[in-house]
Amino acid sequence: MADTIFKKIIDKEIPADIVFESDSILAFRDINPKAPTHILIIPKEEIPTVREINGKEHGPLLGEMIDAANSIAKKEGISEDGFRLVFNCGDKGGQEVYHLHLHLLGGRQMAWPAG
Ligand code: 5GP
């Protein structure tokens, strides 16, 4: 299967505005932001969707992604006011890039239900 755009960002084949990197995850600004702060937190491991996640195997990885989201939210100054974390999954979930990613959105009032 062809590499996704996010795999190319991980491999530094295409540029991204990276805000955090560890051995297992990468976080960078969304190219088409839907909020004043919109950051994508992704595992370096190629996991296409949330459907491939199971708690026993991926619990520590997901924990690291949430830790990164919390620390980035603090650095971006959106932690106190509140923010939104989103995993889109599959076509009807609105997923466009089939490499797992956690959206961190903040800096404005979020509406509910999400569109
Ligand atoms: P999804 O709809 O799959 O949940 O979200 C994919 C997100 O990736 C979208 O918000 C889109 O703007 C973002 N995106 C797509 N291509 C690129 C890219 O090349 N660079 C960056 N930084 N973000 C991208």
Side-chain angles (χ1 to χ4, degrees), residues 3 47 65 96 106:
D3 282 351
I47 302 167
M65 290 170 73
E96 289 171 8

Side-chain angles (χ1 to χ4, degrees), residues 55-105:
K56 267 198 182 143
E57 187 183 346
H58 300 109
L61 176 67
L62 289 181
E64 196 185 335
M65 290 170 73
I66 300 282
D67 284 350
N70 269 322
S71 121
I72 294 164
K74 277 192 192 134
K75 272 193 209 139
E76 294 285 319
I78 58 169
S79 183
E80 288 275 310
D81 283 350
F83 53 87
R84 182 168 289 174
L85 296 178
V86 177
F87 284 109
N88 292 327
C89 180
D91 286 349
K92 286 199 173 167
Q95 186 173 4
E96 289 171 8
V97 179
Y98 280 78
H99 182 118
L100 187 75
H101 49 282
L102 178 61
H103 294 260
L104 166 62
L105 298 139

Side-chain angles (χ1 to χ4, degrees), residues 5-6 28-32 34 88 94 96-97 101 103:
I5 199 88
F6 290 175
F28 52 90
R29 292 188 197 281
D30 196 293
I31 204 165
N32 180 18
K34 281 81 179 173
N88 292 327
E96 289 171 8
V97 179
H101 49 282
H103 294 260

